[in-house]
Amino acid sequence: MEKRVYPVNLQIKVMLLFLLLGLMPLGVVSFFSIRTAEGLIMRSVTSHLEDVATDKASLLGRWILERKADLQVVAGSSVLKSMDAERMAPYLDLVRQNYAVYESLMVFSPDGRVVFSTPPGADSIEAAECLQPSESEPLILSDIELEPRRRKSVFRISVPVPGNDGNTAGIVCATVGTEAILSMILKVSLGETGECYLVNREGTFLAHKEPDRILAENIALSESFRNIFNGGNRGATYIDYRGIEVLGALKRVEGTEWTVVVEQDRDEAFRIVDRLKRYILLVIVFSVGSAFMPAWLFSYYVVNPVRRLSMAAECLARGEFEKALVKTDRSDEIGTLYNAFGDMARQLQARQHSFERAVTLREAELKETDVRLKKTQLAAARSEQLAALGRLAAGVAHEIRTPLTSLKLFLESVESEIEISPEYVEDFRVAMDQIGRMEATINRFLDYAKPRDPILSRIEVGQLVHDAMLIVKPRARQQETSVHVDVPEGLPLLLGDRRQLGEVLLNLLVNALEAAAAGGSIHIAASLHHEETGNEAQEFVRIDVRDEGPGIAAEDLPRLFDPFFTTKRTGTGLGLSIAYSAVKRHGGRMTARSVPGSGTTFSVLIPVSLTGAMEMETDGKNTYS
Ligand code: ADP
């Protein structure tokens, strides 16, 4: 069976439908779940980051405030107001020891000269780093920076020392070590990637878990900076100074230009969402896989049977009935469809067979008709030839008859006028007989070639047979052949030419006598014969002439009624031919049956239907063609 290609077959459509039905709700739910989870996580992480930033900023702010307060207390003390280095030394050393965060404390005179510094030697290194407070900005806080030896990060606070006269007596500058507080601030528990750092308003790192970045790197060009200082979107991810997508929060440290930034890697924050996405993807893949199962089931139970049915229909269209007889054990609708289709195929097959038989029969009939037609054509051609031959022969016979008649008349006149010597009387008589025989033959032939018009009369069959018997009886007796006549009473009258029909019967009887052996017998039987052709019924008077002679060879039977066909040495071959034509002219037919060695039967059938129609006609006056 030819394999058919289906561009988008039912199976694929069903699969797509199942996928659509299964995946659409799943897709919608997944989409909203992910969106919701992302929103939740974003909010929760952002809020957590903000809390951390706020905590860290406030912790740092409070600590710086404490340091400022410390210095203001120190600056307001009477020891410092005296600007006496010797008095200051024990006090400031004490302060430095009690507050471990002060790396150095220095006191400057208003003109910038170092009055005192602890530890000793700090002045030479750090005096230049101290900022000068002014009236407008009495307390100056420096940025956090690495101390010159780059071992620690520090910032400086400069506070004016108020004099007793109300003027500035000097300046106290403290270098504050930030290590302890910053390490506390920078330490955050934000997963593996979360970090907290401090930047100034230019974006330079003031504190960072990696000391190398402090004051060395700037985040001004990164999205972190824009997000921090240029009002970035809260709850939006951005690319930080390391090029990593992060979520972040910031908080300005009160009383400073510093900002605490807390950031966490977006991937880490959203790890749970990513896991959710992976699960959803797995579910989708599983759904796609499981969509094949109903598709396969549908294909097995519906698509395949339908496909097989469609192929069977194609086979049916091609006339391959055996292939179209599909079978199934199913008892559902598909089974019913198969059974109905199978019944239809069987009926079509039966009908096709009966058509084929009818066609074969018609073909045989056509062949037979063709053979008959050819035979008829041959017979017509032969008749044509015979007719031409007959015309020629008739011409010749006519030409011979005239001088023959003259010869006969001459001999008759000679006989009457001259006495013929006795030794020639016998020869003369033989000559006259031969001339008479020739004349009779020529006349018979001319009668056949151009038959005279029939003279119709009502003929009684018994009489017709009786007349013929009168002529043949002497010869029968002579050759000791018995003739049996069987003509029943009550046969209808025949309408026909008495002479022609008499000659027909006579011819058959003469032939039968010639065929019958000495001591044999001849049978003449007449009967009423009934025939039905289609809706028409017809009655015939049938006369059979049967002899028990040698019979006729099978190959001679078809030519029996042809003119000039004879097997006799002195025969003319015209007797049966003339008889056949005469019977035909009466609307009847003549047949011969013979079994070589057992005899021959000639049958003449004359229709009786004309009898009634012609009953009122006068004898001898009606002619028909
Ligand atoms: P003819 O008798 O002159 O030969 P017919 O036409 O009467 O011409 O007969 C033609 C031929 O038919 C005969 O030569 C003969 O061979 C055959 N024939 C006719 N009647 C019989 C018969 N009863 N038995 C055998 N042969 C017959």
Side-chain angles (χ1 to χ4, degrees):
M1 223 181 274
E2 187 183 316
K3 187 138 176 115
R4 190 165 179 170
V5 179
Y6 296 84
V8 179
N9 62 28
L10 199 52
Q11 194 174 357
I12 292 174
K13 282 182 191 165
V14 169
M15 213 169 69
L16 290 177
L17 183 71
F18 276 108
L19 275 177
L20 202 68
L21 289 177
L23 292 187
M24 210 161 65
L26 187 68
V28 172
V29 169
S30 307
F31 175 76
F32 285 110
S33 303
I34 291 170
R35 283 289 297 271
T36 311
E38 276 181 344
L40 277 172
I41 285 173
M42 183 72 87
R43 272 199 296 281
S44 122
V45 171
T46 307
S47 134
H48 180 58
L49 293 175
E50 282 171 352
D51 287 348
V52 171
T54 306
D55 284 352
K56 302 288 180 189
S58 63
L59 183 67
L60 187 58
R62 271 202 314 277
W63 188 77
I64 288 169
L65 274 178
E66 280 170 15
R67 300 290 80 73
K68 283 179 180 175
D70 290 348
L71 273 197
Q72 276 172 336
V73 169
V74 169
S77 69
S78 58
V79 179
L80 260 80
K81 281 182 182 174
S82 69
M83 290 303 280
D84 180 355
E86 284 187 13
R87 282 185 64 195
M88 285 179 207
Y91 176 64
L92 290 180
D93 284 339
L94 194 68
V95 169
R96 208 168 69 82
Q97 280 163 20
N98 282 348
Y99 300 93
V101 294
Y102 296 113
E103 295 294 323
S104 67
L105 286 168
M106 284 180 288
V107 181
F108 298 92
S109 62
D111 56 1
R113 183 174 52 82
V114 178
V115 178
F116 174 79
S117 70
T118 177
D123 56 322
S124 58
I125 305 165
E126 295 176 21
E129 305 288 334
C130 284
L131 302 167
Q132 295 288 330
S134 62
E135 267 185 33
S136 59
E137 206 175 352
L139 193 149
I140 291 190
L141 184 76
S142 75
D143 275 345
I144 293 174
E145 57 195 46
L146 292 176
E147 52 108 3
R149 287 176 292 279
R150 298 190 70 80
R151 285 202 304 270
K152 295 173 182 172
S153 65
V154 295
F155 67 90
R156 292 184 174 79
I157 305 175
S158 300
V159 178
V161 179
N164 291 326
D165 54 359
N167 293 325
T168 301
I171 295 161
V172 181
C173 177
T175 300
V176 186
T178 60
E179 215 168 52
I181 185 74
L182 285 186
S183 67
M184 204 172 75
I185 287 172
L186 297 182
K187 197 188 285 175
V188 285
S189 78
L190 288 171
E192 293 164 15
T193 57
E195 67 174 15
C196 176
Y197 56 86
L198 195 67
V199 290
N200 63 14
R201 60 181 309 153
E202 280 82 37
T204 306
F205 286 113
L206 298 179
H208 196 278
K209 64 183 178 186
E210 297 166 26
D212 289 347
R213 292 186 188 268
I214 297 170
L215 298 174
E217 286 182 22
N218 192 301
I219 62 167
L221 295 176
S222 74
E223 275 188 23
S224 297
F225 187 82
R226 279 198 291 282
N227 199 47
I228 295 164
F229 297 105
N230 299 342
N233 289 336
R234 181 180 181 271
T237 59
Y238 55 88
I239 306 298
D240 76 353
Y241 63 96
R242 296 164 298 177
I244 297 170
E245 190 180 5
V246 292
L247 278 167
L250 57 106
K251 188 73 184 171
R252 182 91 171 267
V253 180
E254 208 155 321
T256 67
E257 295 289 319
W258 308 341
T259 303
V260 173
V261 182
V262 184
E263 287 174 340
Q264 186 177 15
D265 189 344
R266 182 223 164 270
D267 287 348
E268 189 181 20
F270 281 83
R271 195 169 284 165
I272 190 155
V273 179
D274 291 340
R275 198 177 303 158
L276 181 68
K277 279 184 188 171
R278 274 203 297 281
Y279 287 149
I280 287 172
L281 195 70
L282 263 177
V283 171
I284 287 173
V285 169
F286 180 76
S287 302
V288 170
S290 58
F292 282 97
M293 180 54 81
W296 182 84
L297 285 174
F298 186 80
S299 157
Y300 184 79
Y301 282 104
V302 180
V303 177
N304 283 348
V306 169
R307 197 175 289 173
R308 268 183 26 227
L309 210 58
S310 113
M311 287 182 192
E314 283 171 15
C315 290
L316 201 62
R318 288 198 297 270
E320 297 168 7
F321 293 102
E322 292 306 323
K323 288 184 186 170
L325 292 174
V326 285
K327 285 184 192 130
T328 181
D329 298 334
R330 289 170 65 167
S331 55
D332 55 7
E333 284 79 357
I334 293 281
T336 312
L337 187 62
Y338 265 53
N339 291 338
F341 189 86
D343 286 348
M344 184 182 78
R346 268 186 288 279
Q347 282 173 18
L348 282 175
Q349 187 178 24
R351 212 170 290 176
Q352 172 86 4
H353 284 163
S354 90
F355 278 146
E356 280 171 4
R357 275 198 299 277
V359 168
T360 314
L361 208 70
R362 284 272 171 274
E363 276 175 0
E365 281 175 8
L366 270 176
K367 271 185 195 154
E368 206 181 299
T369 311
D370 194 42
V371 170
R372 275 211 303 272
L373 186 69
K374 279 189 181 134
K375 274 187 186 165
T376 311
Q377 282 171 342
L378 273 175
R382 226 161 95 227
S383 297
E384 194 76 18
Q385 287 171 353
L386 288 174
L389 194 64
R391 281 194 295 276
L392 184 69
V396 173
H398 198 266
E399 288 302 310
I400 292 171
R401 192 168 64 169
T402 311
L404 199 66
T405 308
S406 306
L407 183 64
K408 187 184 165 193
L409 287 173
F410 171 70
L411 287 177
E412 279 173 355
S413 66
V414 166
E415 189 185 20
S416 61
E417 286 173 19
I418 305 166
E419 195 174 338
I420 301 164
S421 81
E423 71 235 53
Y424 292 114
V425 168
E426 188 54 27
D427 294 341
F428 188 81
R429 202 185 53 77
V430 169
M432 282 299 281
D433 282 354
Q434 290 302 321
I435 288 171
R437 204 172 147 223
M438 280 164 71
E439 199 180 32
T441 303
I442 287 169
N443 283 339
R444 275 185 88 192
F445 175 70
L446 287 175
D447 271 1
Y448 169 74
K450 193 171 181 246
R452 62 180 177 78
D453 290 339
I455 301 165
L456 296 178
S457 65
R458 285 183 295 161
I459 307 160
E460 204 192 322
V461 181
Q463 188 61 50
L464 197 69
V465 174
H466 180 73
D467 291 350
M469 282 300 295
L470 281 179
I471 299 170
V472 297
K473 240 179 202 167
R475 179 165 175 186
R477 209 175 296 126
Q478 192 189 345
Q479 67 177 50
E480 294 175 356
T481 302
S482 57
V483 181
H484 303 276
V485 179
D486 176 17
V487 180
E489 291 289 317
L491 284 176
L493 295 178
L494 291 178
L495 183 69
D497 186 305
R498 187 185 297 273
R499 194 178 139 198
Q500 285 182 13
L501 290 182
E503 278 177 0
V504 168
L505 198 56
L506 193 62
N507 187 269
L508 294 180
L509 284 171
V510 169
N511 278 345
L513 278 172
E514 283 177 359
S521 60
I522 295 171
H523 298 264
I524 306 167
S527 59
L528 194 62
H529 179 75
H530 186 84
E531 254 182 29
E532 277 187 27
T533 45
N535 290 333
E536 284 185 21
Q538 203 172 8
E539 296 216 307
F540 296 85
V541 169
R542 173 177 175 155
I543 303 168
D544 292 330
V545 177
R546 178 165 66 88
D547 65 65
E548 291 162 352
I552 302 166
E555 66 268 21
D556 289 342
L557 273 176
R559 299 186 294 156
L560 218 53
F561 300 114
D562 286 354
F564 308 117
F565 173 75
T566 180
T567 57
K568 296 170 192 167
R569 199 166 53 81
T570 55
T572 59
L574 285 172
L576 285 180
S577 174
I578 290 170
Y580 185 83
S581 301
V583 171
K584 275 283 213 193
R585 279 198 297 277
H586 281 79
R589 65 178 191 271
M590 190 169 169
T591 58
R593 296 187 307 281
S594 179
V595 179
S598 300
T600 306
T601 303
F602 281 92
S603 299
V604 175
L605 286 100
I606 306 294
V608 293
S609 57
L610 289 173
T611 313
M614 301 302 289
E615 235 168 14
M616 301 302 291
E617 302 293 336
T618 318
D619 282 3
K621 295 209 174 146
N622 293 291
T623 57
Y624 68 91
S625 57

